[in-house]
Amino acid sequence: MPTMRNKKIILAITGSIAAYKAAFLTRLFIKQGAEIQVIMTPSAAAFITPLSLSTLSKRPVHSEVISEESWNNHVELGLWADAMVVAPATANTMAKLANGICDSMVGAVYLSAKCPIFFAPAMDLDMWKHPSTKKNLETLKSYGNEIIPVGHGELASGLVGDGRMAEPEDIVKFLNTHFEKKQSLKGKTAIVTAGPTFEAIDPVRFIGNRSTGKMGIAIAEKLADRGAKVHLILGPTAQKSDHEGVNTINVTSAEEMYQAATKHFKKANVAVMAAAVADYRPKTVSNKKIKKKEGDMAVELERTKDIAKALGETKKKGQLTIGFALETNNEKANAKGKVERKNFDFIVLNSLRDKGAGFGHDTNKVTFIFKDGSEKPLKLKLKTQVADEIVDEIEKLLND
Ligand code: CTP
């Protein structure tokens, strides 16, 4: 059965001669059971009429953010879609989108979209080879967008080379592979701990940390994207997940996180421990607000339970545990020590010495360190991309 069934796809058409192929592409998507919303740049309409596309897609085509009839809500469209495909993608549109220029409906939807975005470039071979095009493609990739490889052959200019838009069948195949990959963890259950923990001192005060939970939430959503059932055990943070495949269990303290994690791990295939769990908590918690007095004051602390260690000790064959390490010095040796002590299958090492890594950022620079001592360093990436790579490793280990 095609994986495209019921998928909502935005097809963004830009002004290239290859735009005529967009009609066929729309038909192929519809044939596979997808819902298509076509949007166009004004120059695309010089190559193919909106009427053909609205007839094929059975929906009005939008090209202006504000049209004479209505205000077209690009934010809503951006949230509606499971995927956005820019085909054909001209050098001009890619340059604009790589730089956040928003002078058309395509630009507005691109900036609002929450779904994966695919580009099927189409241009003449010299434009394709130009360093500025290459740079823009790299920029788009760094945002997590995917580029559908161009074809080789005769171009509209009469020249022969690279730059032809991928054939509609190949674009559909590319999207199908994407949606298939998404269901690779169907039937699996995962738990993810994320965010900080707050350890109460009295009814109004606590010991906490600056973790936002963004990394853990991104992992939970990527696992759910691929069909896993996910329990996200989330400490107190303003961040949340609206993903329908993620069941969020809100907790406050390390003890509550421990209880939820040990309970749900029994039926889980994998546990990812991305939470910044407090290692210590106040030994006694006052049930009244503590009043200030003259002189200093000390709060006696005791150790909390180590969730990762507890799961590592009880894990059975076929269960995976993955940890995180945030280090400032002696990074690799410390991380390797944690893999051993906590019996992780692999650990995701963040070094606070790397720019863009750690708390609060949307990016992260990490190295995976595996049980057998092997290492895999990643470049600076968005946390959502790092999450995808972590889930790729989990998938490989589950299939081993
Ligand atoms: N972790 C956990 N429960 C705790 C403490 C840590 O599950 N009580 C998990 C974290 O979620 C992370 C990993 O253990 O995946 C590493 O945490 P870290 O605090 O860096 O490890 P420690 O062994 O406490 O090392 P240190 O304090 O010496 O850095």
Side-chain angles (χ1 to χ4, degrees):
M1 193 166 80
T3 47
M4 203 77 78
R5 188 166 301 283
N6 298 329
K7 290 288 185 289
K8 301 183 181 78
I9 299 174
I10 293 172
L11 175 60
I13 307 173
T14 73
S16 149
I17 178 67
Y20 79 92
K21 292 187 184 175
F24 190 47
L25 181 57
T26 305
R27 235 170 61 86
L28 284 181
F29 277 141
I30 298 269
K31 238 171 115 179
Q32 297 232 340
E35 277 183 63
I36 302 296
Q37 173 63 60
V38 176
I39 58 174
M40 300 172 93
T41 57
S43 60
F47 294 95
I48 185 162
T49 71
L51 183 61
S52 317
L53 294 158
S54 62
T55 309
L56 288 168
S57 65
K58 303 182 186 74
R59 282 167 175 269
V61 170
H62 302 306
S63 65
E64 306 286 344
V65 180
I66 303 165
S67 72
E68 274 167 35
E69 296 94 59
S70 65
W71 150 254
N72 294 311
N73 195 334
H74 52 92
V75 177
E76 226 165 68
L77 267 185
L79 292 174
W80 169 84
D82 294 308
M84 173 172 177
V85 185
V86 188
T90 58
N92 185 40
T93 294
M94 289 196 293
K96 284 184 183 175
L97 301 188
N99 290 288
I101 296 173
C102 178
D103 60 355
S104 72
M105 188 64 177
V106 172
V109 173
Y110 174 78
L111 290 180
S112 311
K114 292 264 186 278
C115 58
I117 298 171
F118 301 84
F119 285 87
M123 67 197 74
D124 203 44
L125 87 148
D126 292 315
M127 294 169 83
W128 175 249
K129 277 198 275 191
H130 198 279
S132 78
T133 306
K134 296 281 171 235
K135 192 169 148 231
N136 291 330
L137 282 167
E138 284 311 311
T139 307
L140 293 170
K141 280 197 241 171
S142 77
Y143 302 154
N145 302 160
E146 287 198 57
I147 312 296
I148 304 175
V150 293
H152 181 91
E154 194 176 333
L155 301 160
S157 60
L159 296 171
V160 175
D162 287 338
R164 276 166 70 110
M165 184 176 86
E167 291 304 324
E169 290 88 347
D170 294 328
I171 297 177
V172 170
K173 221 186 269 170
F174 201 94
L175 268 280
N176 262 326
T177 309
H178 162 78
F179 288 122
E180 267 161 27
K181 184 175 160 193
K182 286 180 74 166
Q183 292 309 301
S184 51
L185 295 177
K186 211 172 166 70
K188 305 282 187 212
T189 301
I191 68 168
V192 179
T193 68
T197 65
F198 287 179
E199 309 302 327
I201 299 171
D202 69 13
V204 292
R205 303 181 181 95
F206 59 84
I207 298 172
N209 62 67
R210 293 184 202 283
S211 167
T212 58
K214 279 186 187 172
M215 190 66 240
I217 292 172
I219 295 166
E221 294 188 343
K222 293 288 178 191
L223 286 163
D225 272 349
R226 297 195 197 181
K229 180 175 168 191
V230 183
H231 301 292
L232 170 66
I233 304 167
L234 186 62
T237 167
Q239 306 290 325
K240 63 182 175 65
S241 173
D242 294 322
H243 197 299
E244 57 186 18
V246 174
N247 165 42
T248 304
I249 301 158
N250 291 108
V251 295
T252 304
S253 64
E255 180 60 27
E256 284 172 23
M257 192 174 271
Y258 173 86
Q259 294 301 340
T262 46
K263 177 177 161 201
H264 289 286
F265 187 57
K266 290 192 187 107
K267 286 191 184 157
N269 304 88
V270 54
V272 182
M273 267 114 4
V277 189
D279 288 322
Y280 295 90
R281 66 178 177 198
K283 199 162 185 173
T284 53
V285 182
S286 167
N287 56 13
K288 290 195 201 84
K289 187 179 164 210
I290 300 169
K291 303 298 278 181
K292 63 177 162 301
K293 296 192 192 99
E294 285 304 314
D296 298 341
M297 125 167 221
V299 178
E300 200 183 344
L301 302 176
E302 64 180 7
R303 287 291 300 268
T304 56
K305 288 177 190 146
D306 191 320
I307 303 163
K309 195 155 177 272
L311 301 193
E313 278 163 2
T314 60
K315 81 173 164 191
K316 299 191 189 72
K317 204 170 174 284
Q319 282 185 309
L320 300 176
T321 55
I322 290 102
F324 273 74
L326 181 66
E327 307 288 346
T328 55
N329 56 300
N330 242 341
E331 293 91 337
K332 285 191 181 154
N334 283 338
K336 283 184 177 167
K338 281 175 197 175
V339 171
E340 220 160 277
R341 273 200 312 282
K342 305 199 187 194
N343 194 19
F344 288 135
D345 291 272
F346 70 94
I347 199 161
V348 181
L349 167 64
N350 298 260
S351 167
L352 269 193
R353 281 197 282 192
D354 286 321
K355 242 172 120 185
F359 289 164
H361 296 286
D362 286 327
T363 52
N364 215 351
K365 171 132 182 31
V366 304
T367 301
F368 299 158
I369 299 181
F370 295 89
K371 206 155 63 178
D372 64 4
S374 61
E375 297 173 16
K376 182 173 173 182
L378 304 188
K379 287 192 218 140
L380 182 72
K381 286 174 184 271
L382 288 174
K383 284 189 175 172
T384 50
Q385 290 175 295
V386 174
D388 231 354
E389 301 250 3
I390 292 169
V391 176
D392 280 345
E393 295 301 333
I394 290 173
E395 213 181 293
K396 273 190 234 158
L397 290 171
L398 283 175
N399 291 331
D400 259 0

